[in-house]
Amino acid sequence: MLEIIKSGGWLMLPILLCSVAVIAICIERLWTLNERKIAPRALLGEVWGWLKNNQVSTEKIKELRDSSYLGRIFAAGLSNSRHGREVMKDSIEEAASQVVHELERFLGALGTIAAVAPLIGLLGTVVGMIQVFTAIMLEGTGNAGVLAGGISQALITTAAGLTVAIPALMAHRYFQRRVDTIVVTMEQEAVKLVDALHSDRRVEAA
């Protein structure tokens, strides 16, 4: 394996760095994007219990804000609930946009790697072919070793770039879908909270 990497030339280094970054991002996102921790199903019922028992206080809101991402959204809404439905919705949307930004952390980098890795491999292909044609010009077609080395570099870097890009693209799509699912869940929970405070709709605890 080490010999294959060496024969790929110096362009294998950025491809290897990209592969390490992909692995690190995937591990971090798998750990972070846990729906049970981000949007606990029982949280709405707990907040509704506070409201019914008039237990909502500054301390409770702070505790709620620190509990989870969904708790941060609920806390923003509760802090401005006395100003009316629209103000409460605006506060929730503002908090939600910040939460979504944090949930999508590193996904841009993952998508960039998926796009760039094949291009690095293609660059390696071009460099390898340049070496082949340079060797042909200098030594003719008799030196099979030099020709094979250039072609080998071209093929190895292309294969390595695709090997990194394909999993990166799949992971990017997977995590983006997971974020979208979590966002929909949080939106539904937030709507229930707004309706509980500013309409007669009953909130059902999860």
Side-chain angles (χ1 to χ4, degrees):
M1 179 64 71
L2 185 59
E3 290 300 321
I4 294 176
I5 293 174
K6 286 182 178 180
S7 63
W10 63 271
L11 282 169
M12 288 295 291
L13 179 58
I15 293 176
L16 287 174
L17 292 176
C18 286
S19 68
V20 172
V22 168
I23 293 171
I25 291 172
C26 288
I27 293 173
E28 192 276 339
R29 290 291 88 187
L30 283 171
W31 175 262
T32 301
L33 296 178
N34 185 333
E35 187 172 355
R36 293 181 180 180
K37 293 191 295 185
I38 293 172
R41 291 290 183 175
L43 187 60
L44 180 60
E46 183 179 352
V47 173
W48 180 235
W50 294 351
L51 293 169
K52 288 194 298 185
N53 297 321
N54 294 320
Q55 295 178 334
V56 178
S57 62
T58 303
E59 290 76 17
K60 286 286 188 182
I61 291 177
K62 185 178 184 303
E63 175 186 338
L64 184 63
R65 184 181 295 112
D66 296 337
S67 65
S68 63
Y69 285 113
L70 181 59
R72 187 189 305 180
I73 294 173
F74 282 176
L78 291 175
S79 298
N80 295 277
S81 60
R82 63 183 180 277
H83 299 299
R85 183 187 184 94
E86 292 304 316
V87 174
M88 183 180 181
K89 285 180 64 177
D90 290 341
S91 300
I92 286 176
E93 289 174 0
E94 182 179 348
S97 65
Q98 296 174 355
V99 167
V100 171
H101 179 72
E102 293 187 25
L103 292 179
E104 292 180 340
R105 183 184 301 171
F106 303 130
L107 294 190
L110 199 58
T112 299
I113 291 173
V116 168
L119 296 179
I120 298 175
L122 180 60
L123 178 59
T125 300
V126 173
V127 172
M129 296 310 296
I130 289 173
Q131 291 179 353
V132 170
F133 287 113
T134 301
I136 290 175
M137 286 186 351
L138 294 177
E139 303 180 24
T141 58
N143 193 337
V146 175
L147 298 179
I151 295 173
S152 174
Q153 177 176 340
L155 295 177
I156 288 172
T157 53
T158 301
L162 292 173
T163 301
V164 173
I166 292 172
L169 180 60
M170 294 174 63
H172 179 265
R173 296 288 177 85
Y174 170 75
F175 289 125
Q176 190 63 63
R177 178 62 180 170
R178 180 180 282 199
V179 169
D180 291 341
T181 301
I182 293 172
V183 169
V184 169
T185 299
M186 292 193 296
E187 286 177 351
Q188 293 172 344
E189 297 293 285
V191 167
K192 291 178 183 179
L193 179 63
V194 173
D195 288 338
L197 287 170
H198 295 284
S199 75
D200 295 329
R201 183 183 296 182
R202 181 183 175 188
V203 176
E204 296 181 359

